[in-house]
Amino acid sequence: MIASPAGRTPGAQTGTTASSTWTLVAPAPVDDVPPGAPHGPQLVVRTVAIDDLPDTPTALVDRLPDTNALAWVRHGDGLVGWGEALRFETFGPGRFADADDAWRRVLDRAVVHDDVSLPGSGLVAFGSFAFDDVTPGDESEDPARASGVLIVPRVVVGRRGDRAWMTTISLVGDRSAPVGDELLSAYPHQPVINPGKVVLTDGAVGAADWPAVVAEGVARIQTGELEKVVLARDVVATAEHPLDTRHLLGRLASAYDACWAFSVDGMVGATPELLVRSEKGLVASRVLAGTIRREHGRGEGAAPAGDDADLLHAAQLARSSKDLEEHEFAVRSVAAALEPFCSSMNVPEAPFVLHLPNVMHLATDVTGVLTDQGATSGRRPPSSLSLAAALHPSAAVCGTPTNVARSLIREIEGLDRARYAGPVGWVGADGDGEWGIALRSAEISPRNQRHIRLFAGCGIVAASDPQAELAESEAKLEPMRYALGVPTPR
């Protein structure tokens, strides 16, 4: 069930803020709410340890029973979920604050029994949010769609190191819904569907025309209007069969296991960029900007690049003034956004080179210690979702200065980014969680499960070459091409 400003699902209980709605997936009433208790749904949550999860990169993905998958997986660790106990949809500039407020109201009434007590155990919600504040116009497939979504699953399976667990989530008053062990039999495992033959076509701006968009960005930078802008393009894929996110996730989690493979409400991908992790008072953000393509992609049927070639490319990237400049803008923007929340921070002076199967990136891990605001004010410390909101959009996905770059993107990009380059991840009951940037990603059409849009973006600075940026965007499309089984162009 989905709520929207235009109308709500008949019989569902809803709550509202100025711009957003939440919907109880179950239409039954919530019983026995004590007088004066916070308004909203009440959840009963049970987490128990499990010992039947194989130690493989795709073990979590393999547990997903059907195509409506929720996932956040890296190196075989992370979370997957299925079913919907609650769904929050948010709209416009208030999308983050509204979602965070709705989540806190649910936490106020949740009853949690957690026998594991690890990050990701207990009550969690998966989320995905649009890149921009502005609701798309007529060029959008669905102009009334939400700008953000938080989904509380019925079942979550997680792993961290050598420990694994299962969480079941029930809604008080939902007499018709299964509880406990009944939840597992309520979602029988369906066979994974291969997409079959996949055909790619140009998106909003064709590959032949996109270098002109980049050239316009370079020209505007050279006039001094801004220092950096990130420009994106999309490619449309049509599959022979309805797309199964488990198939895509399995291939991504296996071939790109150093990235965070994710799936939330049709947005799927493998991002190398961690926007923010909040865990027990510590905060971290992995900043990527500056890219060089490897000679050979990796994955099924692709030959890996040689060590000598990798070393040469890494050295070129580490010495590239253009890439170093682009990277510096991104690091500065993340450090400035995190600083108000931290009592101390560590910002490395120089980046390292991150090796991925298809590309190499300049990377910097910014870390900090959160200010103990809860102890001094009596309030909860900032949630990982509110930290993600403060960091978004960073210079890595927007540009510098932010407002000027965002305006230029709206003016010349010619693309509805939707949730591409927006925050995606999860938040827990204690506010901790992990949020990545939805890069190396694609969005399955809610209207036609055979259609999917693939996205790629490039950071543009004064020294950028339009044809080189087009080649870089092709390299960044490779993970989702591989997930779909489409051969890499040579």
Side-chain angles (χ1 to χ4, degrees), residues 436-462:
I437 302 175
L439 306 175
R440 315 297 189 270
S441 61
E443 186 170 24
I444 299 172
S445 168
R447 296 184 178 182
N448 187 335
Q449 296 292 302
R450 294 171 54 246
H451 291 174
I452 185 170
R453 280 203 304 157
L454 285 59
F455 299 91
C458 299
I460 310 303
V461 294

Side-chain angles (χ1 to χ4, degrees), residues 349-419:
E349 292 184 1
F352 64 93
V353 176
L354 177 66
H355 295 236
L356 296 176
N358 55 323
V359 294
M360 298 180 190
H361 291 294
L362 292 178
T364 296
D365 289 335
V366 177
T367 58
V369 178
L370 291 175
T371 302
D372 192 2
Q373 298 174 344
T376 58
S377 67
R379 295 177 297 161
R380 285 176 174 156
S383 69
S384 59
L385 177 55
S386 62
L387 292 172
L391 283 163
H392 178 77
S394 74
V397 294
C398 183
T400 305
T402 301
N403 290 337
V404 178
R406 184 158 42 192
S407 295
L408 184 59
I409 289 168
R410 293 169 180 168
E411 179 186 345
I412 71 172
E413 191 173 67
L415 171 70
D416 168 23
R417 289 191 180 188
R419 289 178 288 157

Side-chain angles (χ1 to χ4, degrees), residues 221 226-228 289-290 317 320-332 362 395 400 460-464:
I221 291 169
L226 71 168
E227 296 171 285
K228 173 186 174 180
L317 183 61
S320 167
S321 58
K322 177 262 182 187
D323 291 293
L324 289 168
E325 179 187 23
E326 180 188 342
H327 188 78
E328 183 182 358
F329 291 140
V331 172
R332 285 199 322 233
L362 292 178
T400 305
I460 310 303
V461 294
S464 293

Side-chain angles (χ1 to χ4, degrees), residues 15 93 118 195 209 303 438 473:
L118 285 173
D209 298 323
S473 74

